[in-house]
Amino acid sequence: MYCLYVPMKKVALVFVLAVIAPSLVLAWLAVRSARDQQMVAAQQQTLLYQGVADALAKDARDYMAEQQREFAQFVESQRREHSPAELASRFDALCVKGCASTEVGFTVSADGTVLSPSLFDRQEARQFRLNNDRFLGSCETVEVYWNSQKGGVGSGKLDTKSARVVGLEGNRPGKNQVLLSSNLVLVKEVAESKVAPDEAEFRELVGGAFEGTIARFLQNKLKVLLWYRSVREPDLIYGAQLNLTNIVTGLEPLIRAPESVGHDVQVALINDAGKIVAGTAAGARPFVVSEVGSVLPHWKVGVYLNHPEALAKGARTLKAVLTLSVLAMMAAIAFGSALIVRDLRRELTLARKKTDFVSNVSHELKTPLTSIRMFSELLGEGKVTGEAQRKHFLQIIGSETARLTRLINNVLDFARMERGEKEYKLERCDLKQVVRDTVESYRPQLEAKGLAVRLLLPEQAMEARGDRDALAQVLVNLLSNAEKYAAAGKEIDVKLVLLQVNGGQPAAEIHILDRGPGVPRGAEERIFEQFYRAHDSLSSGVQGSGLGLTLARQIMRAHGGDLRYEAHEGGGSCFVVTLPMDGQLIQAAGCRRK
């Protein structure tokens, strides 16, 4: 057993180092990856919807840039139709009439004089002058958000990628966030805007540029101004205060979710007061937002989830699928490892048995050969003193020769069966006669060992189909087995009976009984395994190859019968050979009919 334990210990160590340990490490990494994939899935959805918000915010900025271009074209067209003095004085009336998005038009000279509108014009114009005269005249600095195409003193521009996006599991929601589920955090309020105002005079904002936008808050209301000056008349600056209601009307067709995500989200334009002015919203708070920029400071495009719980559910499902996949992989590795270990254990056991088999066969070959050689030499040298001694020596030589023949036949038959080359010559025979002839031919050897053999046969003949030599080999192997293990019992019984089995099918049974030590409990079936021996030959002194019972069972099953072991009442062993009597033979695996 020690010889088997040492290789198994080495195999187990190699298996742990080469398979189990790396598999556990990979499983741990995979479980962590499965947990991270939940966050990755939510992040991917966030990036997708953030891209939608950024694209719509850009569309809004492009729309405002188009308003700037249209205003510049309007000014140039009016310059061609009116003189500079006339255009400067009448610009408010012309601008309101010609530009749909304009609320008030104004003209400022290079020295800071407001030429239009007049303080005595309509109420909107008067209010504009009261609110902006000092600023347009560069008499005071105010907080403004501005930009110009050709640069200026400064520019309150927005990083187009700025947004307040979803938080993920593991991040604690701050004061501006609210938990949507156990996995996702929605934006509750946009944090401090990245569009910051500058304090400047109008002259500083204009600088050397030729057009731009200015946004400022008056009494918490947003005012957006466009301005333009011609390269031919750089001393006159034409401007317009936009009507935000008209601007929203123009932006509304642009605030639409793309078809690719339209069934998942809704989008809306949110003004500086946090109110939705264009589009629709599926909930109270947006999932992601993107600021429009300095042209409409603190205005945002928000993306709202139609089914907020679906994102969290999808992330959890992905995590569950990956976790189950990892568990299935580990189960497969464990199952495969168990199969490999079992197979290795079987192969090592078989290797040990083969080693023992070679050792036993070598010993069994050596023993009869030694006896044959020794007694042959005595006879050849004329050292035999009498006829009785000569016959005794010849009897020993014959017995050892038969023993050697049986051993070689067993080995050869086993090799043929392993290769599938064993053939049987099936023909009708008298089973009673086969049993009698075999037992009588083996009786002298048994009696020489002090064993009494009793043969119990029925009166009538028992016809069966089978290979006479193969059936005789089965009986010889069983008698040889009894000879080895039942010597102390002093008796062997061989009994042939006819009985009905399998619902009336006639069958013959041959019982070989002895009074030996019997088969240890738990080994009743294992004794028919190849190379297996219930009694270790080195400790018991009983020689054998471990093939006799294996071959006997295979031969009987090839004949449609069987060989089994039963405990003999009163002690000892009982081997039962069963053979059907109706000629229905079963072809065993690895054997061919002839």
Side-chain angles (χ1 to χ4, degrees):
M1 193 65 188
Y2 175 76
C3 296
L4 178 62
Y5 174 75
V6 173
M8 282 302 298
K9 186 175 182 181
K10 292 181 179 179
V11 169
L13 180 61
V14 171
F15 213 80
V16 168
L17 295 178
V19 178
I20 303 299
S23 298
L24 291 176
V25 173
L26 290 176
W28 177 72
L29 293 175
V31 170
R32 287 196 59 184
S33 176
R35 183 183 61 188
D36 295 340
Q37 284 298 320
Q38 183 182 12
M39 300 176 62
V40 171
Q43 287 176 340
Q44 289 175 342
Q45 289 294 100
T46 300
L47 292 176
L48 173 63
Y49 299 143
Q50 185 61 55
V52 172
D54 290 344
L56 294 177
K58 182 180 181 300
D59 290 343
R61 290 192 293 272
D62 292 343
Y63 176 81
M64 295 302 294
E66 182 63 26
Q67 296 298 307
Q68 176 78 55
R69 287 190 293 271
E70 290 179 359
F71 179 71
Q73 293 173 0
F74 171 76
V75 172
E76 289 294 338
S77 66
Q78 295 300 313
R79 282 186 65 256
R80 289 191 294 270
E81 297 177 7
H82 302 85
S83 65
E86 181 185 7
L87 180 60
S89 61
R90 297 182 54 198
F91 188 73
D92 176 45
L94 294 172
C95 190
V96 171
K97 182 179 179 181
C99 296
S101 299
T102 299
E103 190 174 61
V104 176
F106 64 91
T107 309
V108 182
S109 65
D111 60 2
T113 301
V114 179
L115 304 177
S116 176
S118 170
L119 283 170
F120 304 103
D121 282 347
R122 55 198 175 88
Q123 182 179 353
E124 292 85 353
R126 289 197 304 271
Q127 188 62 46
F128 177 81
R129 289 289 300 272
L130 292 174
N131 291 336
N132 294 284
D133 263 11
R134 290 181 59 77
F135 168 61
L136 296 177
S138 300
C139 297
E140 67 176 358
T141 60
V142 297
E143 286 190 350
V144 293
Y145 304 82
W146 65 281
N147 64 48
S148 61
Q149 287 190 355
K150 297 185 180 180
V153 177
S155 179
K157 294 182 179 179
L158 171 69
D159 177 3
T160 58
K161 294 188 179 297
S162 66
R164 306 298 174 261
V165 298
V166 66
L168 298 173
E169 185 179 15
N171 297 333
R172 297 183 61 184
K175 63 180 180 180
N176 292 328
Q177 296 173 325
V178 61
L179 284 174
L180 170 66
S181 68
S182 61
N183 300 307
L184 302 174
V185 181
L186 285 182
V187 175
K188 181 178 180 182
E189 294 177 359
V190 176
E192 183 179 354
S193 174
K194 290 189 177 182
V195 179
D198 288 336
E199 287 194 2
E201 298 176 348
F202 182 68
R203 184 184 295 114
E204 293 176 328
L205 298 177
V206 173
F210 290 92
E211 63 180 0
T213 62
I214 298 172
R216 60 180 299 201
F217 286 90
L218 291 171
Q219 290 83 42
N220 291 326
K221 292 185 178 180
L222 177 64
K223 304 296 180 179
V224 179
L225 309 179
L226 304 179
W227 61 269
Y228 173 80
R229 63 181 174 184
S230 175
V231 294
R232 297 180 180 84
E233 294 176 355
D235 292 336
L236 288 177
I237 300 173
Y238 301 93
Q241 179 173 285
L242 300 180
N243 185 322
L244 292 184
T245 301
N246 294 341
I247 293 297
V248 170
T249 301
L251 286 173
E252 192 163 6
L254 303 177
I255 308 302
R256 295 286 185 271
E259 293 183 1
S260 58
V261 296
H263 59 286
D264 295 326
V265 299
Q266 296 182 24
V267 296
L269 179 64
I270 307 169
N271 67 11
D272 56 275
K275 294 182 179 180
I276 295 175
V277 294
T280 56
R285 300 176 181 86
F287 181 59
V288 293
V289 296
S290 183
E291 293 194 77
V292 174
S294 57
V295 291
L296 291 172
H298 306 306
W299 285 44
K300 304 170 289 292
V301 174
V303 176
Y304 298 78
L305 298 178
N306 288 334
H307 306 286
E309 70 284 354
L311 186 59
K313 183 178 179 181
R316 289 195 299 270
T317 300
L318 177 62
K319 180 181 178 180
V321 169
L322 291 174
T323 301
L324 290 177
S325 299
V326 171
L327 293 178
M329 178 192 70
M330 290 303 300
I333 292 175
F335 181 71
S337 301
L339 292 179
I340 293 173
V341 169
R342 188 182 68 175
D343 189 62
L344 286 174
R345 187 182 186 91
R346 184 174 64 245
E347 291 298 324
L348 288 172
T349 303
L350 185 59
R352 180 178 64 84
K353 290 180 178 180
K354 287 182 177 180
T355 301
D356 293 343
F357 166 72
V358 172
S359 177
N360 291 334
V361 168
S362 299
H363 188 276
E364 287 217 357
L365 288 173
K366 182 179 178 181
T367 301
L369 286 174
T370 301
S371 298
I372 292 171
R373 179 182 178 183
M374 180 181 67
F375 289 109
S376 297
E377 288 178 352
L378 290 175
L379 289 172
E381 293 174 0
K383 296 182 178 181
V384 181
T385 58
E387 184 64 21
Q389 189 178 32
R390 186 180 69 82
K391 289 183 178 180
H392 178 64
F393 286 178
L394 289 173
Q395 183 180 4
I396 292 176
I397 292 174
S399 174
E400 293 299 315
T401 302
R403 175 182 172 187
L404 187 60
T405 301
R406 287 196 306 272
L407 176 62
I408 294 174
N409 286 338
N410 281 343
V411 175
L412 293 177
D413 284 345
F414 176 76
R416 293 190 190 100
M417 288 182 179
E418 288 288 291
R419 296 193 301 268
E421 298 176 355
K422 178 65 176 176
E423 296 180 351
Y424 295 102
K425 185 179 180 180
L426 302 178
E427 57 187 9
R428 300 193 68 82
C429 62
D430 183 358
L431 187 60
K432 174 182 173 182
Q433 190 64 39
V434 172
V435 173
R436 176 187 290 112
D437 292 346
T438 305
V439 172
E440 293 302 329
S441 65
Y442 205 77
R443 182 188 295 273
Q445 184 170 331
L446 295 173
E447 292 179 347
K449 294 289 183 70
L451 291 168
V453 181
R454 290 188 300 176
L455 181 60
L456 305 175
L457 299 175
E459 294 181 0
Q460 74 278 14
M462 299 180 64
E463 293 291 331
R465 287 190 67 203
D467 188 315
R468 293 178 59 90
D469 293 337
L471 294 176
Q473 183 181 358
V474 170
L475 294 175
V476 168
N477 284 350
L478 294 175
L479 292 172
S480 175
N481 187 74
E483 176 188 355
K484 295 173 185 176
Y485 295 103
K490 300 299 182 182
E491 64 180 44
I492 296 176
D493 292 340
V494 180
K495 180 168 59 174
L496 174 62
V497 296
L498 179 66
L499 70 162
Q500 301 290 327
V501 296
N502 296 333
Q505 179 183 356
E509 282 192 354
I510 306 171
H511 297 246
I512 294 88
L513 305 98
D514 63 57
R515 291 297 180 181
V519 175
R521 185 180 298 275
E524 291 86 350
E525 281 299 314
R526 296 194 64 191
I527 58 176
F528 297 104
E529 296 177 6
Q530 59 190 31
F531 309 127
Y532 180 82
R533 303 188 66 209
H535 301 276
D536 188 85
S537 61
L538 298 181
S539 60
S540 66
V542 178
Q543 298 299 319
S545 63
L547 291 178
L549 295 179
T550 304
L551 290 171
R553 171 173 276 190
Q554 289 180 353
I555 291 172
M556 293 314 303
R557 288 183 174 178
H559 282 71
D562 202 359
L563 171 63
R564 69 181 186 272
Y565 168 83
E566 295 177 355
H568 188 190
E569 185 177 353
S573 301
C574 176
F575 287 91
V576 181
V577 176
T578 304
L579 182 67
M581 301 299 292
D582 61 351
Q584 298 298 321
L585 303 178
I586 301 173
Q587 185 68 34
C591 301
R592 299 195 302 270
R593 285 186 178 179
K594 189 173 180 180

